[in-house]
Amino acid sequence: MIRKDKQEIGPALNNSLLVDDIRQMIEATRSAVASTINAGLTTLYWNIGKRIREEILKGERGEYGQEIIASLGQELAKDFGKGFEEKNLRHMIRFAETFPDEQIVYALRRQLSWTHFRLLIYLDDPIKREFYAEMCRIERWSTRTLQERINSMLYERTAISRKPEEVILHELATLREQNLLTPELVFRDPYVLDFLGLKDRYLEKDLEDAILRELEAFLLELGAGFAFVARQRRIQIDDDDFYIDLLFYHRSLHRLIAIDLKLGNFKAEYKGQMELYLRWLDKHERQPGEESPLGIILCAGKKQEQIELLELNRSGIHVAEYLTELPPRELLAERLHRAIKTARARLETYDTNTGVDK
């Protein structure tokens, strides 16, 4: 009788579909519980930081206030563990200082963990901090990915960083309120391709082959949302054949993205070539509901004034340099800050609506 019951129950227990369903239920519940706990802890830490800042420090950091924080940390650690020691209380105070808007904290707490926030709160530039927070939320970065993006100076390499401050704030507000990414938040300059392992001398085919070998790493450098479509996409116009080096689709932008690889510095004739590709794609490959295709010309170097005079942005073309070796962070930072300063200075003296100097 016992043996018969086991035989009857056995098939049900061995039903792989049932096991998979229950496993998914467990995992989904665990994830939901973890998310709820994370959101609750994040809110708690923000409220603790706000309370200490308002009632003890009163916006100041005098010696007496510091002593109280040290004493408070000792008392709380006895009851609640190391997570409430003085050092962590100071993180909470910094959290409340750098994210004073409670609504923004509530909006971010589901996607960002306390570890995410601890990385963000020590970024001094508020705009840069908001950029990383929103991109982290929209692209669901791990804390490791966030740290890597900060270390590689992603904000300074993103096209939006070259825009006036009010434009950047508007783009970030749109992202926060509508989850709407723009090309300026997606495209970068330069792209760091040190993972390709290319030496001093190589051909365009070598560059393309290396990218395809390291496609996963290349997609990570391009950013979330890119999906590979084709290599050397053949297009025929009249009796002539042309080939797009790399073709991608961006899910959030709802556009095809054509990438043209160039070994040397940018040349003016590259514009016409890319415009031809984009118009063909728009006519023959663009699907209903999609936006117009965009192009990226990846070059070893470029001259900014040429690019501005050609008004490539009006043609949906982004020109960017690529680096096959990552320079020291100090040199990269100096280069990027100089590029941002120059770009913003040009925008102040150049009327992009009329194309003439003010």
Side-chain angles (χ1 to χ4, degrees):
M1 185 70 176
I2 296 175
R3 181 176 299 174
K4 183 178 179 181
D5 289 344
K6 286 184 176 179
Q7 288 175 343
E8 291 175 352
I9 295 172
L13 291 176
N14 292 327
N15 187 317
S16 60
L17 182 60
L18 176 63
V19 173
D20 288 343
D21 286 347
I22 294 176
R23 183 180 288 117
Q24 290 177 11
M25 290 166 61
I26 294 171
E27 291 176 349
T29 302
R30 280 179 173 175
S31 178
V33 170
S35 178
T36 301
I37 292 173
N38 171 70
L41 286 175
T42 299
T43 304
L44 172 64
Y45 296 154
W46 185 84
N47 281 315
I48 290 174
K50 182 173 181 286
R51 185 77 177 271
I52 294 174
R53 185 166 179 264
E54 290 178 351
E55 295 196 13
I56 298 177
L57 298 181
K58 300 187 185 329
E60 300 179 359
R61 293 188 179 275
E63 183 177 342
Y64 177 67
Q66 303 309 312
E67 292 176 357
I68 293 180
I69 295 173
S71 176
L72 181 62
Q74 291 175 359
E75 290 296 320
L76 292 174
K78 289 178 184 178
D79 295 332
F80 302 106
K82 293 183 178 180
F84 295 90
E85 289 179 336
E86 178 188 357
K87 178 179 68 175
N88 288 319
L89 291 181
R90 295 191 185 282
H91 292 321
M92 297 173 199
I93 295 167
R94 177 80 177 184
F95 184 24
E97 288 176 346
T98 54
F99 286 89
D101 189 332
E102 186 176 11
Q103 295 305 313
I104 291 178
V105 174
Y106 278 20
L108 293 172
R109 63 180 183 162
R110 287 288 178 183
Q111 284 80 32
L112 275 63
S113 68
W114 172 235
T115 312
H116 285 106
F117 281 112
R118 280 185 52 182
L119 291 173
L120 294 169
I121 59 179
Y122 291 103
L123 297 174
D124 292 331
D125 185 342
I127 293 179
K128 187 189 302 185
R129 188 165 55 241
E130 184 176 355
F131 167 84
Y132 283 114
E134 288 302 322
M135 293 300 290
C136 192
R137 178 185 66 83
I138 203 80
E139 297 190 352
R140 298 184 179 275
W141 294 343
S142 65
T143 52
R144 179 179 177 181
T145 300
L146 173 59
Q147 184 67 72
E148 290 173 349
R149 296 290 189 265
I150 294 172
N151 290 344
S152 70
M153 304 188 70
L154 175 62
Y155 171 72
E156 290 84 353
R157 294 191 292 118
T158 302
I160 193 68
S161 67
R162 270 75 166 174
K163 302 294 183 180
E165 184 174 308
E166 59 270 20
V167 174
I168 301 175
L169 291 173
H170 175 74
E171 294 269 354
L172 291 175
T174 302
L175 178 61
R176 182 173 61 251
E177 296 164 8
Q178 303 177 28
N179 291 333
L180 184 62
L181 275 174
T182 63
E184 286 72 22
L185 286 167
V186 172
F187 292 160
R188 304 170 184 176
D189 182 26
Y191 288 89
V192 179
L193 308 182
D194 56 333
F195 51 84
L196 298 181
L198 294 172
K199 304 302 180 183
D200 293 338
R201 293 186 179 182
Y202 51 87
L203 304 174
E204 282 185 14
K205 185 178 184 304
D206 298 328
L207 176 60
E208 184 180 322
D209 288 343
I211 287 174
L212 290 173
R213 280 197 307 271
E214 303 292 341
L215 186 58
E216 183 178 354
F218 185 66
L219 286 169
L220 287 173
E221 176 59 14
L222 287 177
F226 278 88
F228 178 70
V229 176
R231 168 191 191 179
Q232 290 296 312
R233 176 69 166 85
R234 176 176 171 268
I235 64 176
Q236 191 171 38
I237 302 173
D238 297 324
D239 296 325
D240 296 322
D241 290 337
F242 300 87
Y243 295 88
I244 301 172
D245 289 337
L246 299 169
L247 186 62
F248 293 85
Y249 182 79
H250 197 284
R251 292 177 298 166
S252 297
L253 296 179
H254 306 292
R255 304 172 186 262
L256 286 167
I257 309 289
I259 297 183
D260 207 11
L261 304 173
K262 301 296 182 184
L263 288 187
N265 291 332
F266 173 80
K267 296 180 181 178
E269 56 262 33
Y270 296 161
K271 176 189 178 185
Q273 184 181 31
M274 180 58 81
E275 284 179 334
L276 187 67
Y277 296 163
L278 296 181
R279 287 172 184 169
W280 188 91
L281 290 170
D282 190 64
K283 180 178 180 181
H284 297 286
E285 294 292 331
R286 179 180 174 187
Q287 299 296 314
E290 291 182 357
E291 300 294 333
S292 297
L294 298 175
I296 301 175
I297 301 175
L298 280 180
C299 304
K302 63 176 185 176
K303 295 180 179 178
Q304 193 60 35
E305 190 171 2
Q306 283 187 25
I307 293 169
E308 289 174 0
L309 291 172
L310 289 169
E311 297 183 330
L312 293 173
N313 59 319
R314 297 192 179 191
S315 301
I317 299 172
H318 175 68
V319 178
E321 295 180 61
Y322 60 85
L323 304 177
T324 55
E325 292 184 7
L326 183 63
R329 181 177 174 82
E330 295 76 14
L331 292 178
L332 180 61
E334 181 183 353
R335 171 181 173 176
L336 292 174
H337 290 150
R338 186 168 60 247
I340 292 171
K341 184 177 180 180
T342 301
R344 290 181 180 176
R346 288 183 183 278
L347 284 173
E348 290 178 359
T349 58
Y350 193 82
D351 186 344
T352 54
N353 293 319
T354 63
V356 296
D357 288 333
K358 291 180 179 180

